[in-house]
Each structure stands twice: as structure tokens, then as C-alpha cells.
Amino acid sequence: MDVDAIRHLVRRQPFEPFRLYVSDGTRYDVLHHDFVFVMRHRITVAIGVPAVEDIPLKSVDIDPLHITQIEALAAPSNGRKKRRKGK
């Protein structure tokens, strides 16, 4: 995967959470731009972060060559459910 594309996602304003898929089937959610560090030959992702306000438990290093897919995640909600129209 092109590290410049990942760096673009990290720097996007406003930041939009995304998921990285790795060749071994593992996936990593990047919930905040502070929880990922992009280098030319390595991406470091903080894991074990259930919410943006939490401190990561640990990190994992990923070789960009093993990233197979990037998927946008829904933005964190404010805890309120959307109302259905018509009811």
C-alpha cells in the first residue's frame, strides 16, 4: 500500500476514522490521528483503544506492503440514535 495515501488519510481535516486490513486477515481501527504514526517502511498503530479519549494499551508495527485494503469507518456517534421519519 502507498504510504502517501495513508498519510493523506491521517492528515485529512476533519479526520475520518478508518480501518486497515492486513494480508494475514488482521484489521486495525484508526480512531484518531494521534493513534497512528506513518513512516516510509512502517506504520505504527495504537491498539486496544475503545474510545478516542482513552490511552492505548499497546501498538503494532505494520509493513505497508502487507496492507491490503483501507475502509472508512463511521464517525463516532454522540450516543443518540437517529429518529425514523414518519413515526
Side-chain angles (χ1 to χ4, degrees):
M1 177 66 60
D2 180 21
V3 293
D4 291 326
I6 297 168
R7 186 172 48 202
H8 174 74
L9 289 173
V10 172
R11 292 181 175 175
R12 180 183 293 173
Q13 291 296 324
F15 177 80
E16 296 177 16
F18 58 93
R19 177 174 290 148
L20 298 173
Y21 289 87
V22 185
S23 59
D24 68 357
T26 308
R27 58 185 185 229
Y28 300 100
D29 291 350
V30 179
L31 303 177
H32 191 272
H33 63 84
D34 287 341
F35 297 158
V36 62
F37 187 64
V38 180
M39 293 171 277
R40 183 62 47 199
H41 300 288
R42 180 174 56 209
I43 310 293
T44 300
V45 178
I47 57 176
V49 184
V52 173
E53 298 84 18
D54 291 338
I55 296 173
L57 298 174
K58 57 183 176 177
S59 65
V60 63
D61 292 331
I62 306 167
D63 187 324
L65 294 174
H66 291 286
I67 297 173
T68 59
Q69 180 183 350
I70 300 174
E71 174 183 72
L73 294 175
S77 70
N78 61 4
R80 299 173 69 178
K81 294 183 180 180
K82 289 185 179 180
R83 291 184 181 195
R84 285 189 186 181
K85 291 185 179 181
K87 287 201 172 192

